[in-house]
């Protein structure tokens, strides 16, 4: 088992929002990575070290606001705590990387059992199996790129939600808001930035209490975004992207190899 400290970087403009980082190594050199279960591929930025690698081709990806095309490279070794891989293929963001970060994606996480302890800001990796009676496990739906999906419910109404540690705040598709306006109370607007570094002003809502797993989550702030562009390019359309503003209310165990998940503790918040 490995224990990885989670570095919480609060959003100065949104009290409930924050980014989640971990320390890691690229071929022995220290890097700080955004921990991003909503990203299919691990990404590095262009710098003196990563620029030495020959491009193997182009990879296209889409943030919630815009798309981007970047080089594919292979690095000799990448390590984050006990998670490590040799001759590992990653994406290299080129050119203007303002607003972008190095990130760890599902290509590196999908083979591991990850217990996110948001009450202690720690990630336990490949801990010993718990008794099935200790936690209530639910089936984990993943798409071809291993994005993790879990259901979210308002009464009898269900939504598809991507469980995304790379999102600082939970996002709801504006089409879902328009279809179910009673669940959302608009309170303000804010400027958000997606994984490509693109920024856009978005409406902010207080979301009604929602059932995730067997637990009711309290009302909290989320952002509304038109996800039609993203949904047109993915296998399973999403109604929500569950980000830190929601995830911080609980501890979560994701057994990615067995495709199951559980909420292991409620984390009270002021």
């Amino acid at each position: 088992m490995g224990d990885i400290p989670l570095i919480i970087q609060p959003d100065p403009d949104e009290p409930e929002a924050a980014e989640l980082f971990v320390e890691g190594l690229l071929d022995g050199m220290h890097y700080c990575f955004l921990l991003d279960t909503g990203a299919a591929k691990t990404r590095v930025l262009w710098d003196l070290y990563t620029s030495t690698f020959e491009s193997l081709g182009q990879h296209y990806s889409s943030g919630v606001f815009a798309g981007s095309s970047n080089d594919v490279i292979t690095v000799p070794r990448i390590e984050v705590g006990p998670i490590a891989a040799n001759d590992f293929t990653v994406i290299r963001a080129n050119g203007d990387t303002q607003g972008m970060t190095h990130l760890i994606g599902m290509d590196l996480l999908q083979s591991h059992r990850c217990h996110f302890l948001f009450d202690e800001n720690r990630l336990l990796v490949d801990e010993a199996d718990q008794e099935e009676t200790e936690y209530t496990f639910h089936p984990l739906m993943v798409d071809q790129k291993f994005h993790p999906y879990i259901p979210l419910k308002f009464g009898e109404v269900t939504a598809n939600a991507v469980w995304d540690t790379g999102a600082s705040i939970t996002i709801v598709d504006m089409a879902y808001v328009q279809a179910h306006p009673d669940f959302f109370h608009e309170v303000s607007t804010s400027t958000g930035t997606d994984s490509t570094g693109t920024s856009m002003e978005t409406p902010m809502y207080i979301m009604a209490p929602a059932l995730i797993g067997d637990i009711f989550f309290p009302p909290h702030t989320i952002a509304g975004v038109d996800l039609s562009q993203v949904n047109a390019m993915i296998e399973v359309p999403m109604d929500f992207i569950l980000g830190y503003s929601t995830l911080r209310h609980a501890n979560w165990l994701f057994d990615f190899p067995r495709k199951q998940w559980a909420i292991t503790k409620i984390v009270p918040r002021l």
Side-chain angles (χ1 to χ4, degrees):
M1 181 184 79
D3 191 336
I4 301 175
L6 298 176
I7 303 166
I8 310 299
Q9 192 171 100
D11 187 317
D13 300 318
E14 296 295 336
E16 298 179 40
E19 290 184 311
L20 203 62
F21 289 88
V22 292
E23 296 287 349
L25 300 172
L26 279 181
D27 204 19
M29 291 180 287
H30 289 270
Y31 280 78
C32 190
F33 296 91
L34 181 71
L35 187 63
D36 193 351
T37 59
K41 299 288 292 182
T42 294
R43 181 183 71 198
V44 297
L45 305 185
W46 179 281
D47 63 20
L48 288 176
Y49 173 66
T50 63
S51 64
T52 62
F53 294 96
E54 180 182 357
S55 173
L56 304 177
Q58 291 292 299
H59 177 270
Y60 182 82
S61 61
S62 179
V64 296
F65 301 140
S68 63
S69 182
N70 296 292
D71 287 336
V72 177
I73 63 172
T74 296
V75 295
R77 184 168 174 83
I78 186 168
E79 301 174 60
V80 178
I83 302 173
N86 294 323
D87 297 324
F88 192 69
T89 300
V90 302
I91 306 306
R92 180 179 61 200
N94 303 319
D96 183 10
T97 57
Q98 184 175 359
M100 301 178 71
T101 63
H102 307 284
L103 65 82
I104 298 297
M106 285 304 301
D107 52 351
L108 203 56
L109 298 174
Q110 66 185 30
S111 299
H112 298 277
R113 180 182 174 102
C114 298
H115 196 172
F116 297 83
L117 305 180
F118 285 108
D119 60 339
E120 302 177 16
N121 294 338
R122 294 192 298 146
L123 171 61
L124 302 183
V125 179
D126 298 332
E127 63 182 335
D129 290 354
Q130 303 294 327
E131 294 289 339
E132 289 296 326
T133 56
E134 183 173 352
Y135 303 136
T136 302
F137 282 93
H138 306 274
L140 177 63
M141 180 175 67
V142 295
D143 62 11
Q144 292 179 348
K145 296 182 179 179
F146 227 92
H147 295 119
Y149 286 78
I150 64 175
L152 178 150
K153 294 184 178 181
F154 300 96
E156 298 301 316
V157 180
T158 302
N160 269 342
V162 171
W163 199 86
D164 186 358
T165 57
S168 63
I169 194 166
T170 289
I171 292 171
V172 60
D173 185 13
M174 289 304 300
Y176 194 87
V177 174
Q178 292 162 9
H180 307 286
D182 292 344
F183 304 147
F184 308 96
H185 173 62
E186 186 170 354
V187 291
S188 63
T189 60
S190 183
T191 300
T193 304
D194 71 4
S195 60
T196 70
T198 303
S199 297
M200 186 175 294
E201 188 172 88
T202 62
M204 306 296 289
Y205 299 93
I206 299 296
M207 182 175 72
L211 183 68
I212 305 176
D214 300 318
I215 305 298
F216 275 102
F217 281 63
H220 55 277
T221 304
I222 65 172
V225 175
D226 178 4
L227 296 179
S228 59
Q229 177 178 318
V230 178
N231 281 335
M233 300 180 61
I234 60 178
E235 180 185 357
V236 182
M238 53 190 172
D239 303 307
F240 284 84
I241 299 172
L242 294 184
Y244 182 80
S245 61
T246 298
L247 307 187
R248 71 193 187 106
H249 289 280
N251 290 343
W252 309 73
L253 174 56
F254 277 79
D255 190 337
F256 292 120
R258 295 181 181 176
K259 296 182 181 177
Q260 60 181 7
W261 67 279
I263 292 175
T264 61
K265 182 180 179 180
I266 298 300
V267 178
R269 297 288 180 179
L270 297 178

